[in-house]
Amino acid sequence: MTQLVYLIPLFPLIGFLINGLGWRTIPKTAAGVIGSLAILASFVVSVGIFFEVNSPSFHGPVLVHLFDFIQTGKLYIPFTFQVDALSTLFLLIITGVGFLIHVYSTSYMHHDEGMVKYFAFLNLFVFSMLLLVLGANYLVMFIGWEGVGLCSYLLIGFWFKNRDYTNAAKKAFVMNRIGDLGFLVGMMMILFNYGTLSYGEFFGKLGTTPGALGDNTYNWIAICLFIGAIGKSAQIPLYTWLPDAMAGPTPVSALIHAATMVTAGIYMIARSSVLYNLAPFTLHIVAIIGLATAIFAATIAIKQYDIKKVLAYSTVSQLGFMFLALGVGAYTTAVFHVMTHAFFKALLFLGSGSVIHAMGGEQDIRLMGGLGKKMRVTQITFLIGCLAISGIPGFSGFFSKDEILAATYAHDPILYYMALAAAMMTAFYMFRLYFLTFTGTFRGTHDQEHHLHESSSAMTIPLIVLAILSVVGGYVGLPAVISEHHALASYLSPVVSNAGEHHMAAGTEWLLMGLSSGLSVVMIIYAFTANKVPSFAPNTGLAKLLENKWYVDEIYDAVIVRPLAALSGLLDKFVEKSGIDGIVNGVGKGVRYGSDRIRMLQSGQVGFYIFVMVLGMVALFAITFFGVKL
């Protein structure tokens, strides 16, 4: 079955080609069916491969060679897929959640005139993401890495007639390119020091071949790769593109910015765990940046009023938790949270899409309220998503977030308490969002209230499936005090090597679980009481600072964008137009001026021509017989 792994990215590619080439003629319903079936076919093959990889007889990784990509001199880079536990798990997440989002989109985007192109772009994105996780070397990963960046640009700016949306798409594209440059430099360093980009060969040489910079080589390579992860996974300071990316259709937010693309950085570091275990300095940086991002984004989410912006900053914060887990060496824990986060965050985004659909496009939660009376399925599934992300016991987020907090406590208690504060804020802002949206009285217009209705089955069925996964998805990683067998850790152990196993006393682990769960419940109660009679008076002081997102965008604009724009204007005026254009145009004017003067010699008078001919003969005679040097 593993030899058929090429079919997994092939099906979305075929779907993209059919919808992309026939976007003018293919009916919208047919486009939705084609796009969804392509992802379903990939999911079916992924499930078959998963069972093979999970069988006792599997001895991986399995390399599936497709063709020779680059072969020149000593450099050889094949286009090869690698099938192992890590890639297979991500295949299930990408295709499984991706299929549900495709089905949801068939109803959500049904009235959009660009629906066929939308499904073409969506299929192309899934194809690129599958390349990213299947590649057996960093170059194939990088191709997929750039592909998801392109598709992100296309899908964020899908409604391109709105200038703000196209600006958001350009912002995402540019900020991702900044991180991608770091990834590219890291690849070059690997190639220069170790002569290969293949995972197996590179990891096999680590620890035995230090590289040109000695042991510091590991840290420099790891830092460069981490810069790429910062851009793709929206960490400080390259995080501001992700909240603006909510300009795209809501299913795009669910797929790209919750379940798959933004987790590419976590996948890359987990895949490179052998390298990062040899770079403790870089791991410390990863942990600090991840924790700072988790706290910083959580504070912003507390005072946002756009339903999608709250979820966007929640995504940034949860990604920070994943990087914190990576930084303390708990790679399998980070991947565990990637999986559970894919379930409940996709559920929350699709739930918000159901709300926006019912509200006629309105996204301001100040104009909502009491929607649970008319949208019972959306309310219940959204509540399950909120409980999961808040880490309430019994839901998937509890198991993965508890594991992150426990690993952090074992690594450094100070980091643990800071992460616990971020987890408390998560519970508050998520239930603030829930209560303001679904409880109380309706605060919108009479026309909006009249049109409130539950979404179609094509939208609610994916919500129900994701809600079930948000409940049961965490039971593949039961804590040690409950079960000695951690199914996910055992499954990933042949591929991902944690930096160090921390054994904690059972009493301590129960105490940590009780503390985090208890504080989350306290914050939920506080969110209920604080928003029972909502007040939307203008914010002042710290609240205004949070509402305006710490003015980070304004600072970037003042410190980076405007000076660069001013410098570009000066270079355009004095270097480009007066300098380069002046030289180029000056050469053209000089040639024309000289031509105008030389052509005067062509007067058309025979006497003048005879006179010039005689002068030429005299000159030749002088040169030949008298040795005159001209």
Side-chain angles (χ1 to χ4, degrees), residues 62 64 102 105 131 138 147 181-182 206-207 268 330 359 364 372 423 527 546-547 553 555 558 580 601 606 612:
V62 173
V64 180
H102 275 69
S105 298
L131 275 189
Y138 285 106
L181 178 60
L206 292 177
M268 186 259 286
M359 290 288 295
D364 194 331
L546 298 181
E547 183 183 357
D553 282 304
I555 293 172
I580 298 174
L601 297 175
V606 177
V612 173

Side-chain angles (χ1 to χ4, degrees), residues 156-222:
I156 294 169
F158 182 74
W159 290 317
F160 57 88
K161 293 181 181 179
N162 187 315
R163 179 59 63 88
D164 292 335
Y165 293 176
T166 57
N167 287 338
K170 288 189 291 185
K171 183 177 183 179
F173 192 78
V174 170
M175 296 193 80
N176 271 270
R177 298 292 77 72
I178 296 171
D180 294 351
L181 178 60
F183 190 0
L184 192 60
V185 172
M187 287 172 53
M188 294 299 180
M189 293 182 68
I190 294 172
L191 194 60
F192 176 77
N193 286 279
Y194 300 99
T196 182
L197 290 176
S198 297
Y199 303 143
E201 295 180 22
F202 172 50
F203 299 152
K205 293 179 180 180
L206 292 177
T208 58
T209 308
L213 300 176
D215 291 339
N216 285 330
T217 303
Y218 303 142
N219 276 310
W220 282 114
I221 295 175

Side-chain angles (χ1 to χ4, degrees), residues 49 95 103 210 250 280 358 404 430 434 444 471 481 551 589:
I49 292 177
T95 58
V103 173
T250 302
I404 293 174
M430 286 308 306
Y434 172 78
V471 175
V481 292
Y551 294 98
K589 290 178 181 178

Side-chain angles (χ1 to χ4, degrees), residues 122-142:
L122 219 56
N123 275 184
L124 182 62
F125 167 78
V126 174
F127 165 75
S128 300
M129 191 67 199
L130 291 171
L131 275 189
L132 190 154
V133 301
L134 279 173
N137 57 65
Y138 285 106
L139 186 57
V140 178
M141 179 194 283
F142 189 72

